[in-house]
Amino acid sequence: MSKPKKHTFLQLSEVTQTISETRGSNAKISICAEYFSSITNENDLHLAAQFLGEGAFSDISGKRASVGSRTYSTLAADICEVDYEQVFKPSKTAVGSASETIEKLFANIPEAQDKWKSAELSLQDVEGIYNRLYEVSSRKDKQEILTEAWSQLTPLEVKYFLRIMGRGSLRIGFETKSIISAIAKAFGQKVKDVRYVHMITGSIGKTAKLAEQDRLDEASFKLFHPLSFMLASPIESRAVDDYSEYVAEEKFDGMRCQLHISGNKVKIFSRDLNDITHSFPEIVDYFTERELPEMVLDGEICVFKDDTILPFQLLQKRMGLKKPSKKVLREYPTLLISYDILFYDGHPIFEQTLTQRRRLLSELSSTYSFPVTTQKPIHHKDQIDELFELALAHGNEGLMLKHKDSTYEYGQRRKSWLKVKKPGGSLDTIMMYAHAGSGKRGGTYSDFTLGISVRDDERYEEEFIPIGKAYGGYTDEELKKLNTRIKEITVEKYGPTLGLLPEIVIELEFDDIQVNKRTKANFTLRFPRFKAIRWDLSPDDVDTLKDVEHLYREKADKKRLSQKNQPAFING
């Protein structure tokens, strides 16, 4: 019997590009399902699903390729024989994506065209390259591996090689929930069954294999493999008939996490399923000392000092540290506040109602003395405003409303959990670049890079620098008007990206301002979106970097109500 034919990385890249260029979720799912069903090698199926949904390595593997943007960007500039500062960086700024910039340079610059030839590497060949990158640490070694790999890949493959390696979104309008639907469609399974197996295994590749083999019922949950998190919907997007069916909790100004406990072993996982245990040794010690039974807790890590939850900006000083110093631990002490329990006494309990899970969590908190959120019943809609103002006074982001009868619904935004927030602020920004949309926005420029003014800032030579990207908050009619005006003020074109004269002012709303030293502004906006297109304003009205810095300091310095006053959590 002949061996099943191995799928190539080129095939995967071409399918991925087709999905990117296709409008409509159902059409995208059908393309992916057809692709999955065409794969006859089960290892290739595992890798195809993993590459599309998780990245170079499975979320539960703990492995990362760890290749920085500058490492592969400077290499790409060398291969293209162009100056990194004068050519590559401006191109990247204009296009808005390093991987897309590299694809276009490789495809169009003769010096680069002579250095690659498709070898039609298999998915397993590419997996081997990612493993080699994981095993080396120096920039020189990583660049040698990349040079060899890229010489065997087409520009399209290189683009998706980099995006998969980075573990971020492939930016094709096709996220995990759609991949789950494609797996179900490809192998005749129920979407809810595939979703459940993905939740308990933590591996989209393994889920695809089990679905193809009709063995979904054999999947089981293992401790220290992070579960995907339940998500909340904005309250504005969901109609609520009876608020008394919900309970309210304050939405903390912290970082969502998952705590796995078994004996003296404690691990903490972030929302993107990374192991962050090493960054928070005091939390590990806190729970280890309590000799808890096996369990998995869902909660929030906050900086907590003098009975007060401190700003998220201070928590950022703890994030990513492999071994926090005694000074850092003393100045920014953290606390994990639990609000849900997902596993107990050897069994997953996500199918129990919130009320049942909460009853168990409260009993455990009381017995073993660890912090859990304060839940408050809602008797009438007006009560939400009172609780919301108290949450803001505590320095928290707002409220979470949770349906009492809801199960733990991984990866979906329904009415079970609702978030009540108000914007962290707004800025008048200038539109610098327009990027072609995909899916239902295909054929128009619907993604935008927005900038702030540094005209009078002695630290910069430019007039404007980027502060964020936004792709929502406008109507179809407004988008049509924008596109008409964009055509009139385009001065440069970089593939799907247009460089614009600084004429369109956008009032940009955002949730928060975060430090990001990798950007020219040293800040990024969290969840930026259009508030208004300010046709009445000119570039002279655009807010400045100094305005951004002021807003950041103002929030960080805002006085917060102590948790002694109507506390948002109780400590056992």
Side-chain angles (χ1 to χ4, degrees):
M1 181 181 293
S2 62
K3 291 183 179 180
K5 185 179 178 182
K6 291 185 178 181
H7 254 62
T8 68
F9 192 70
L10 178 59
Q11 289 172 296
L12 174 71
S13 300
E14 289 173 342
V15 167
T16 306
Q17 187 64 24
T18 300
I19 292 172
S20 175
E21 295 169 354
T22 300
R23 297 188 184 189
S25 295
N26 290 336
K28 289 175 181 280
I29 289 167
S30 293
I31 292 167
C32 188
E34 185 177 348
Y35 172 63
F36 284 154
S37 61
S38 71
I39 300 175
T40 54
N41 182 300
E42 64 177 33
N43 290 328
D44 282 345
L45 175 61
H46 183 120
L47 286 173
Q50 177 183 298
F51 286 171
L52 287 173
E54 295 176 317
F57 302 103
S58 171
D59 285 337
I60 62 175
S61 70
K63 296 169 68 174
R64 304 289 180 264
S66 300
V67 181
S69 174
R70 187 174 178 87
T71 295
Y72 60 73
S73 294
T74 53
L75 174 63
D78 289 344
I79 289 173
C80 295
E81 300 179 27
V82 300
D83 185 271
Y84 175 73
E85 294 291 338
Q86 299 298 318
V87 178
F88 186 90
K89 282 182 69 175
S91 299
K92 176 187 170 183
T93 300
V95 173
S97 162
S99 59
E100 198 160 328
T101 300
I102 292 170
E103 177 198 20
K104 297 191 179 307
L105 291 175
F106 280 17
N108 293 288
I109 292 183
E111 289 81 357
Q113 291 173 333
D114 294 337
K115 296 173 184 174
W116 62 262
K117 181 179 181 181
S118 176
E120 297 202 7
L121 298 181
S122 69
L123 298 183
Q124 293 175 49
D125 291 333
V126 173
E127 179 192 30
I129 296 168
Y130 288 140
N131 277 314
R132 288 174 61 199
L133 288 168
Y134 170 73
E135 291 165 0
V136 300
S137 56
S138 75
R139 173 178 287 187
K140 180 176 180 293
D141 288 341
K142 291 179 187 292
Q143 289 186 331
E144 285 181 357
I145 293 170
L146 290 175
T147 301
E148 179 187 346
W150 290 354
S151 69
Q152 304 174 77
L153 300 173
T154 66
L156 179 69
E157 289 176 275
V158 170
K159 176 174 73 173
Y160 288 115
F161 175 93
L162 290 171
R163 291 186 180 180
I164 290 166
M165 183 179 71
R167 292 188 71 250
S169 168
L170 294 182
R171 300 194 289 283
I172 59 172
F174 196 69
E175 304 303 332
T176 303
K177 66 178 182 180
S178 296
I179 297 172
I180 286 170
S181 295
I183 291 170
K185 185 179 181 70
F187 306 116
Q189 305 288 349
K190 294 179 179 177
V191 172
K192 67 179 183 66
D193 293 339
V194 177
R195 183 184 299 118
Y196 180 81
V197 169
H198 180 223
M199 180 181 184
I200 63 174
T201 63
S203 167
I204 194 74
K206 183 174 182 179
T207 299
K209 282 177 64 173
L210 290 173
E212 190 271 337
Q213 296 165 0
D214 199 21
R215 294 169 50 218
L216 292 175
D217 58 340
E218 296 180 20
S220 61
F221 169 71
K222 294 180 181 179
L223 275 169
F224 307 107
H225 286 183
L227 295 159
S228 295
F229 289 78
M230 185 166 175
L231 306 175
S233 298
I235 193 168
E236 301 85 2
S237 67
R238 299 290 187 269
V240 177
D241 298 321
D242 186 359
Y243 283 97
S244 68
E245 295 177 348
Y246 289 79
V247 290
E249 296 174 345
E250 292 193 16
K251 190 177 191 306
F252 296 112
D253 192 19
M255 179 176 67
R256 182 92 176 266
C257 72
Q258 198 174 103
L259 190 80
H260 290 231
I261 306 165
S262 179
N264 290 327
K265 187 177 181 182
V266 174
K267 282 200 171 185
I268 310 170
F269 298 96
S270 62
R271 184 169 172 173
D272 56 4
L273 309 184
N274 285 321
D275 186 341
I276 56 171
T277 310
H278 53 268
S279 296
F280 303 99
E282 74 272 43
I283 292 176
V284 173
D285 291 343
Y286 183 94
F287 282 94
T288 302
E289 291 167 0
R290 278 155 176 73
E291 298 182 351
L292 293 156
E294 285 191 343
M295 65 178 72
V296 174
L297 300 175
D298 186 2
E300 198 94 1
I301 293 175
C302 299
V303 175
F304 185 71
K305 195 173 184 179
D306 299 329
D307 294 314
T308 304
I309 293 175
L310 298 180
F312 178 79
Q313 289 97 321
L314 300 184
L315 182 61
Q316 282 187 297
K317 298 178 183 296
R318 294 290 306 272
M319 294 161 64
L321 295 179
K322 291 185 177 179
K323 189 176 181 181
S325 67
K326 290 182 180 179
K327 181 181 178 183
V328 167
L329 291 171
R330 184 174 61 253
E331 293 184 355
Y332 312 111
T334 59
L335 186 71
L336 192 156
I337 305 167
S338 301
Y339 43 71
D340 214 330
I341 182 166
L342 312 181
F343 178 92
Y344 178 72
D345 194 26
H347 302 286
I349 55 173
F350 357 97
E351 295 303 315
Q352 292 186 17
T353 66
L354 174 66
T355 300
Q356 293 170 322
R357 301 195 310 273
R358 178 66 191 204
R359 187 181 301 120
L360 172 61
L361 180 63
S362 297
E363 291 172 357
L364 290 168
S365 168
S366 178
T367 302
Y368 295 97
S369 186
F370 61 86
V372 296
T373 51
T374 302
Q375 284 193 340
K376 297 182 180 179
I378 303 172
H379 303 295
H380 51 82
K381 186 178 179 181
D382 292 343
Q383 189 181 358
I384 295 173
D385 293 333
E386 299 169 13
L387 295 173
F388 181 75
E389 291 304 320
L390 176 61
L392 295 185
H394 279 142
N396 289 321
E397 295 182 343
L399 290 180
M400 291 291 297
L401 307 185
K402 298 181 178 180
H403 199 285
K404 299 174 187 176
D405 295 330
S406 61
T407 59
Y408 196 85
E409 300 164 353
Y410 129 76
Q412 301 175 85
R413 296 189 188 273
R414 294 181 175 173
K415 291 171 64 173
S416 296
W417 285 13
L418 301 172
K419 52 187 175 184
V420 184
K421 296 175 63 177
K422 71 176 184 181
S426 66
L427 291 165
D428 289 329
T429 63
I430 198 77
M431 187 179 289
M432 298 179 68
Y433 302 100
H435 312 280
S438 60
K440 67 178 182 180
R441 298 287 191 189
T444 61
Y445 290 92
S446 56
D447 297 6
F448 307 100
T449 297
L450 291 309
I452 48 174
S453 176
V454 288
R455 284 175 168 176
D456 301 318
D457 196 318
E458 63 281 359
R459 295 170 292 180
Y460 297 89
E461 296 180 0
E462 304 94 325
E463 289 193 343
F464 302 96
I465 58 173
I467 191 64
K469 292 183 73 173
Y471 51 87
Y474 40 71
T475 66
D476 288 344
E477 185 176 335
E478 287 174 326
L479 184 62
K480 185 176 180 180
K481 185 176 179 181
L482 268 179
N483 272 258
T484 299
R485 181 65 180 135
I486 284 167
K487 290 177 182 177
E488 297 169 354
I489 60 173
T490 296
V491 290
E492 297 172 301
K493 185 170 183 178
Y494 311 86
T497 295
L498 304 179
L500 309 176
L501 291 171
E503 294 192 14
I504 301 176
V505 177
I506 304 296
E507 185 177 359
L508 203 60
E509 197 172 71
F510 54 88
D511 282 3
D512 201 1
I513 300 172
Q514 297 180 341
V515 172
N516 186 343
K517 296 296 185 182
R518 293 175 294 177
T519 65
K520 185 160 283 190
N522 289 322
F523 293 96
T524 51
L525 303 180
R526 189 177 182 211
F527 300 131
R529 64 268 185 191
F530 278 43
K531 183 178 181 182
I533 304 170
R534 298 300 304 267
W535 300 108
D536 57 317
L537 298 183
S538 76
D540 294 333
D541 298 303
V542 170
D543 285 314
T544 68
L545 176 57
K546 291 181 179 178
D547 293 325
V548 174
E549 292 167 337
H550 174 73
L551 288 172
Y552 177 84
R553 288 193 301 269
E554 188 177 59
K555 181 175 180 182
D557 296 340
K558 181 181 177 181
K559 188 171 178 59
R560 293 168 172 235
L561 187 67
S562 166
Q563 287 295 319
K564 290 181 179 178
N565 301 290
Q566 303 182 62
F569 69 92
I570 53 176
N571 196 5

